[in-house]
Amino acid sequence: ETGVTQTPRHLVMGMTNKKSLKCEQHLGHNAMYWYKQSAKKPLELMFVYSLEERVENNSVPSRFSPECPNSSHLFLHLHTLQPEDSALYLCASSQGRGALGNTIYFGEGSWLTVV
Amino acid sequence: AQTVTQSQPEMSVQEAETVTLSCTYDTSESDYYLFWYKQPPSRQMILVIRQEAYKQQNATENRFSVNFQKAAKSFSLKISDSQLGDAAMYFCAYSPYNTDKLIFGTGTRLQVFP
């Protein structure tokens, strides 16, 4: 079992649907992240949670709504998405807040296709 | 703006040979961290090696080593004795000290031929 697990691995949704991506980390970390990976573009940091508190939101559209109920779980709620939101969404966690030299561990990602 | 540039979209190497992946970055900070991540077809990003900017000594991890040139803002990754399992996308990443930011390059796809 990997340290950071994401479900579902693949998701196809219509533009009017509401769905959620789930992330769970089994490493005892207290910081969690959502990244977006699009083709031929650098990974983009979307959200950072530290001790269940959102500490950074990199100007992400409101159609993406994160939720961190505890330090082990992170959700990304999706609604009224656009086709350009199709991408690989990566969850990650680290021991301390930020890279600070702390290794960030990634999940395997959730492939999202918006039709 | 802080940016990371990987100028080689694709590289290839023969098994057991050595390959070097290039990375340059732009920053006005003096304290920061640099990373190389590997993303195999499974898509899970795995940390390969990291370097603290205040350390002059180049980091090494088994067959992986870096050539860190702070003045030139260059951070290349050398893979020695390449193995088929090294085939993956490799991402260079930069993190300013005491922040949550991890800024990635666009990646280099490495192919390893038997």
Side-chain angles (χ1 to χ4, degrees), chain A residues 37 56 97-101 106, chain B residues 39 44 50 95 98 100-101:
Chain A
Q37 186 176 19
E56 185 152 341
R97 175 184 166 179
L100 290 181
F106 286 84
Chain B
Q39 188 178 40
Q44 185 169 21
R50 79 173 192 209
S95 178
N98 204 30
D100 296 300
K101 298 187 189 300

Side-chain angles (χ1 to χ4, degrees), chain A:
Chain A
E1 182 179 297
T2 60
V4 181
T5 56
Q6 292 185 239
T7 55
R9 294 293 311 279
H10 298 270
L11 176 63
V12 179
M13 60 184 289
M15 289 189 283
T16 58
N17 291 159
K18 289 185 180 181
K19 298 285 184 184
S20 296
L21 305 181
K22 178 184 175 182
C23 177
E24 184 174 0
Q25 58 96 0
H26 314 275
L27 300 168
H29 291 166
N30 56 29
M32 297 187 75
Y33 313 78
W34 279 115
Y35 281 85
K36 176 183 179 183
Q37 186 176 19
S38 305
K40 300 188 193 283
K41 291 176 68 176
L43 271 78
E44 303 170 58
L45 177 62
M46 300 176 71
F47 300 103
V48 180
Y49 275 83
S50 179
L51 297 172
E52 301 145 48
E53 178 183 342
R54 188 193 306 182
V55 296
E56 185 152 341
N57 170 1
N58 280 351
S59 303
V60 179
S62 59
R63 56 186 184 270
F64 294 92
S65 175
E67 178 190 0
C68 187
N70 55 61
S71 60
S72 299
H73 293 86
L74 184 65
F75 295 89
L76 188 62
H77 302 301
L78 316 168
H79 64 97
T80 60
L81 295 191
Q82 304 298 310
E84 60 264 28
D85 296 324
S86 299
L88 179 70
Y89 289 84
L90 290 165
C91 177
S93 71
S94 67
Q95 178 59 47
R97 175 184 166 179
L100 290 181
N102 291 319
T103 299
I104 292 182
Y105 293 83
F106 286 84
E108 293 180 300
S110 294
W111 276 106
L112 173 66
T113 302
V114 181
V115 297

Side-chain angles (χ1 to χ4, degrees), chain B residues 50-69:
Chain B
R50 79 173 192 209
Q51 173 83 40
E52 291 89 343
Y54 63 85
K55 289 187 178 178
Q56 293 187 339
Q57 187 173 7
N58 289 324
T60 62
E61 283 289 340
N62 300 315
R63 299 182 294 107
F64 299 87
S65 61
V66 299
N67 184 2
F68 173 47
Q69 302 288 327

